[in-house]
Amino acid sequence: MNKKIEKNDRIFIAGANGMVGKAIKKRFLKLGYGLSKNNGLLLTPSRQELDLLNFNEVENWFIRNKPSIVILAAAKVGGIHANNSLPADFILQNLKIQTNVIENSWKSNVKRFLFLGSSCIYPKFAKQPIKEESLLESSLEATNEWYAIAKIAGLKLCEALRNQHEFDAISLMPTNLYGPGDNYHPENSHVLPGLIRRFCEAQMANDEQVICWGTGSPLREFLHVDDLANACIFALEKWDLDDEKSPKDKNGAPLPFLNVGTGTDISIKELATIIAQNVGFRGKIVWDTSKPDGTPKKQLNVSRINSLGWKPKISLENGVRDTIKIFKENLINTSNN
């Protein structure tokens, strides 16, 4: 059986209405996947149509719809505050979603499965830039360990099913994401969308200052969600773990998961300055050092996926500028309704 993705595949995007899922769907359609003229189909059920937390519902959905390709982009996500406030929700819901979708994909003989993890799976003080082999070498960052442990479990379940049952599961570990469709909640968002909202609202209100969490010194890497979508489809099309050219670990075994990022990072303080400039905020930036910083540095080594031929195309400056423009347009439209 041909395991590579084809235009006539029935493709299930779990989490198709989230930021990542929407970007993947858009990219699939642009490349001709999921089109009836090519005998393909994109399966993108909403939460109302399919509750991924309910095993029986997921099982029955797989029996009825028979997907041949599955991308797991669904997850409960949030920033430091959300992870600290809702630890049980983050580990329990993500474990349920992952187990339900992964197990039913395997039982339904899905020919290719793509699991999307996160760079937070790596230890807090992992050697930089972080290689895939750093996984489980030491302790996690405490502020997001619940989410990280769930993601590690999903990754390892995919690996176990591959080892024991030859299930063709591959995994990508993206760095911090941003772009259209992001979560801009004032408390539960990640750092980049949180800063965009804060500076946009301050600029519109003519505030004299913006207060940001922490010291601003942590270094972070950011990837535009459209670049991740490209990486997902690239991996489904090109990455075959049985190929002798497939990336190997330090022991020479095929790596079942690859980092995805830009390979460069920036301090939160620099990021805040870039966002303030693009927003047009002229006031003072104040750092609340009583708030946690999180991991001091988190830069991925992306040499493995680069060796297969994939690289990101959207610069941080251009990506942030376009993301701010979209956020402002939505803010204006919302306030006018």
Side-chain angles (χ1 to χ4, degrees):
M1 181 177 68
N2 179 21
K3 291 185 177 181
K4 297 291 181 69
I5 188 170
E6 298 173 293
K7 294 291 195 298
N8 62 354
D9 273 313
R10 297 172 65 86
I11 303 169
F12 172 33
I13 305 173
N17 295 310
M19 177 176 71
V20 174
K22 283 180 180 177
I24 293 172
K25 178 182 177 180
K26 182 177 72 173
R27 186 62 181 164
F28 267 135
L29 292 173
K30 187 173 182 179
L31 294 175
Y33 290 98
L35 301 180
S36 57
K37 69 177 184 179
N38 295 328
N39 296 316
L41 180 65
L42 280 186
L43 299 160
T44 58
S46 66
R47 286 185 184 180
Q48 290 71 35
E49 295 167 322
L50 176 60
D51 181 5
L52 297 177
L53 294 168
N54 185 314
F55 183 88
N56 291 333
E57 198 172 316
V58 175
E59 183 178 43
N60 291 330
W61 186 92
F62 268 82
I63 292 169
R64 290 195 310 271
N65 291 279
K66 298 177 174 60
S68 53
I69 302 288
V70 175
I71 300 98
L72 180 49
K76 179 174 180 59
V77 298
I80 290 175
H81 176 79
N83 274 270
N84 281 339
S85 304
L86 305 167
D89 289 1
F90 272 85
I91 192 166
L92 186 59
Q93 290 186 31
N94 282 303
L95 285 173
K96 282 186 176 181
I97 290 168
Q98 293 166 184
T99 304
N100 292 348
V101 176
I102 295 170
E103 183 177 355
N104 280 295
S105 294
W106 163 58
K107 286 169 59 179
S108 301
N109 296 312
V110 164
K111 71 175 186 178
R112 286 221 97 183
F113 183 92
L114 174 61
F115 175 73
L116 290 175
S118 166
S119 60
C120 73
I121 65 168
Y122 293 115
K124 179 173 183 176
F125 296 111
K127 184 179 178 181
Q128 306 286 325
I130 306 170
K131 287 188 173 183
E132 287 86 351
E133 288 89 346
S134 295
L135 180 65
L136 300 177
E137 282 190 338
S138 58
S139 59
L140 299 164
E141 160 58 40
T143 56
N144 63 15
E145 67 176 341
W146 315 106
Y147 177 75
I149 287 171
K151 284 296 182 182
I152 292 169
L155 166 65
K156 286 298 182 180
L157 176 56
C158 288
E159 188 177 347
L161 287 169
R162 181 179 187 86
N163 292 343
Q164 186 174 339
H165 298 289
E166 298 183 346
F167 180 50
D168 188 23
I170 55 176
S171 303
L172 296 178
M173 300 299 118
T175 188
N176 301 287
L177 300 171
Y178 72 99
D182 209 340
N183 170 28
Y184 294 93
H185 190 279
E187 292 182 344
N188 296 335
S189 63
H190 288 109
V191 60
L192 195 151
L195 289 173
I196 287 177
R197 175 175 183 140
R198 209 166 297 170
F199 281 106
C200 282
E201 290 180 341
Q203 191 264 340
M204 292 176 70
N206 292 315
D207 290 341
E208 294 183 357
Q209 68 176 31
V210 167
I211 299 174
C212 299
W213 275 31
T215 64
S217 63
L219 296 163
R220 292 290 181 271
E221 179 181 359
F222 296 96
L223 181 72
H224 195 281
V225 69
D226 287 348
D227 273 330
L228 174 61
N230 287 337
C232 290
I233 297 170
F234 175 89
L236 289 166
E237 290 178 336
K238 308 289 186 183
W239 183 22
D240 179 1
L241 268 70
D242 296 325
D243 191 311
E244 61 180 21
K245 295 180 181 178
S246 179
K248 307 292 191 295
D249 63 20
K250 59 186 178 183
N251 297 317
L255 266 172
F257 66 101
L258 298 177
N259 292 336
V260 185
T262 62
T264 58
D265 57 14
I266 183 174
S267 73
I268 300 302
K269 191 168 286 188
E270 289 176 276
L271 177 66
T273 301
I274 290 172
I275 291 172
Q277 290 172 346
N278 277 280
V279 166
F281 176 74
R282 300 285 181 259
K284 185 178 181 182
I285 302 175
V286 178
W287 294 93
D288 181 358
T289 56
S290 69
K291 301 296 185 182
D293 271 336
T295 305
K297 180 178 173 72
K298 194 168 65 172
Q299 178 188 359
L300 294 182
N301 182 315
V302 292
S303 61
R304 262 60 176 267
I305 195 167
N306 289 167
S307 72
L308 291 174
W310 179 87
K311 289 187 178 179
K313 297 178 180 177
I314 303 169
S315 70
L316 184 62
E317 288 272 5
N318 290 339
V320 166
R321 185 186 65 241
D322 293 345
T323 302
I324 289 171
K325 182 181 177 183
I326 293 170
F327 176 76
K328 279 188 168 183
E329 288 171 354
N330 290 338
L331 202 62
I332 292 170
N333 292 336
T334 302
S335 62
N336 288 338
N337 289 337

